Amino acid sequence: MTAVERVEEQLAGLRIARRSVPSEEPSYLLDIHTSPAAQPGSSRFVAVSCSNESLRVYDRETLRFLREYRARPGLLSGVRFAHTRDSLVFSACSQGSVRCWDVRSASQEPVQVFTGYPSNVFISFDLSCSDLVVCAGTEKAEKDTFLVFWDARGVTDCASATKEPLGVYSESHNDDITKICFHPTEPNLVVSGSTDGLVNVFDINKDNEDDALISTCNSDSSVSSLGWAGEGYRQVYCTTHDEGFCWWDTAQLDTEDPITLLHVLDVRESVCAENQGLHYLVGGLYHEKAGKLFLVGGTSTGNIHLMSCSSDGLSLVGTLSGGHSATVRSFCWSPTEEALLTGGEDAQLLLWKPGAVERSLTKKASLKISSSVQKRVRVHNTSLKCRKK
């Protein structure tokens, strides 16, 4: 059995290990991130961005709820822990700031606020792997859309302060910047995606935006998620709001070889999950040990489909069922523990591990959430599209 086959078997064998207790105020779980490995004996954390404008923090092992933060006012979008300080968690605010809290502190106030410009409504952000730079993307305001950058040094000292931007990029996108992702090992590289369909790779060490723009790839649709993949993380991929998938090799930029590895206009039509179908994509994960890119998708009834990617196309690896009862909105893969965290429209946070046996007393519940979920929360097209080859 090859390394890839072992990983695919392991992913298909994921089972529920833990299930969080439902919140008193059920909401969609839109983004998930886990804190880095801390000192032996200390707790790890899970942070979840929710549709009720809050950020919730849980204990990583037990999924026990710990605390909640709110922007007051404003909608929080996305969540990221610092790489070098396991207790610092960041989120972007629609009121023109990126905020950082210390989850070990009893205070509800952020330890750092990165402020933008008056017109900025931030809907995406990320933190460089060195924790030195924060970048956030804006909604389009009139004719302008921005990538805004801040110097994040000093935040690990927990000095409560407000920071103004280092500068902005304003010429490379012409619509809402929906996703930002820094390179996993090279802090100067960042990729951004937009509803204009463009996926741009920048080297922020360059002096100006024109020189910083390394490559522009066109997905031909609104970008819903993106990330890095491949050896040395030289590949870039994205999923789109109409369930498309694009995968490019930026290492081929200076060669005659084609940069596009795969372009699937509608994954629902190319991957057939028998008797269940595929209704939507959530995102991708690159498995470094196997050197393999996988996609995560699912059904409106909560089943999760795992698909492997190759230049020949997509293939179904396995289906995780019995966990969620509604559309899955977010996930986070932990390579060190080979575990998967998932969150959905049923307000449930689940931890999946290979061959696990569920130890939680909480049963699967079908929660119908009748809240006025923000217009920015996308609704998937759940029409069944499945064709056999």
Side-chain angles (χ1 to χ4, degrees), residues 233-255:
Y233 290 95
R234 292 300 175 190
Q235 300 168 359
V236 173
Y237 66 88
C238 80
T239 62
T240 65
H241 285 111
D242 55 3
E243 320 311 340
F245 171 66
C246 297
W247 185 18
W248 302 281
D249 187 355
T250 58
Q252 304 298 335
L253 284 171
D254 298 323
T255 73

Side-chain angles (χ1 to χ4, degrees), residues 29-76:
L29 308 189
L30 302 178
D31 197 15
I32 303 173
H33 201 235
T34 59
S35 63
Q39 298 297 322
S42 64
S43 299
R44 291 184 65 188
F45 304 102
V46 177
V48 180
S49 176
C50 304
S51 63
N52 67 348
E53 306 184 6
S54 73
L55 184 73
R56 294 177 185 158
V57 179
Y58 299 81
D59 180 272
R60 166 64 179 76
E61 293 305 314
T62 63
L63 297 190
R64 180 174 61 88
F65 172 77
L66 299 176
R67 58 188 55 87
E68 183 177 67
Y69 302 108
R70 291 181 183 269
R72 294 194 178 96
L75 168 66
L76 294 174

Side-chain angles (χ1 to χ4, degrees), residues 59-208:
D59 180 272
R60 166 64 179 76
E61 293 305 314
T62 63
L63 297 190
R64 180 174 61 88
F65 172 77
L66 299 176
R67 58 188 55 87
E68 183 177 67
Y69 302 108
R70 291 181 183 269
R72 294 194 178 96
L75 168 66
L76 294 174
S77 296
V79 59
R80 287 292 180 272
F81 278 96
H83 301 82
T84 56
R85 177 79 178 267
D86 68 307
S87 64
L88 295 181
V89 65
F90 297 73
S91 189
C93 177
S94 61
Q95 295 295 313
S97 66
V98 175
R99 304 185 181 203
C100 173
W101 293 270
D102 188 337
V103 299
R104 296 190 189 278
S105 169
S107 173
Q108 293 289 309
E109 296 303 313
V111 295
Q112 190 87 68
V113 177
F114 302 87
T115 58
Y117 299 103
S119 65
N120 293 162
V121 175
F122 294 123
I123 57 174
S124 59
F125 87 102
D126 200 14
L127 179 68
S128 69
C129 63
S130 60
D131 290 342
L132 296 182
V133 178
V134 171
C135 176
T138 70
E139 280 188 343
K140 186 176 182 179
E142 295 182 352
K143 294 182 179 180
D144 299 318
T145 182
F146 300 101
L147 285 168
V148 184
F149 297 89
W150 295 268
D151 181 350
R153 288 176 296 182
V155 70
T156 51
D157 297 330
C158 292
S160 181
T162 298
K163 288 199 174 188
E164 296 183 351
L166 289 170
V168 302
Y169 291 166
S170 60
E171 304 295 331
S172 302
H173 288 293
N174 57 35
D175 212 335
D176 298 356
I177 299 173
T178 52
K179 288 293 176 181
I180 296 171
C181 186
F182 274 94
H183 193 278
T185 60
E186 298 185 38
N188 57 305
L189 297 180
V190 63
V191 60
S192 60
S194 167
T195 54
D196 63 12
L198 300 183
V199 174
N200 292 326
V201 179
F202 298 95
D203 179 352
I204 62 174
N205 281 349
K206 302 297 184 181
D207 291 335
N208 56 67

Side-chain angles (χ1 to χ4, degrees), residues 222-237:
S222 174
V223 174
S224 59
S225 75
L226 50 70
W228 301 85
E231 184 177 356
Y233 290 95
R234 292 300 175 190
Q235 300 168 359
V236 173
Y237 66 88

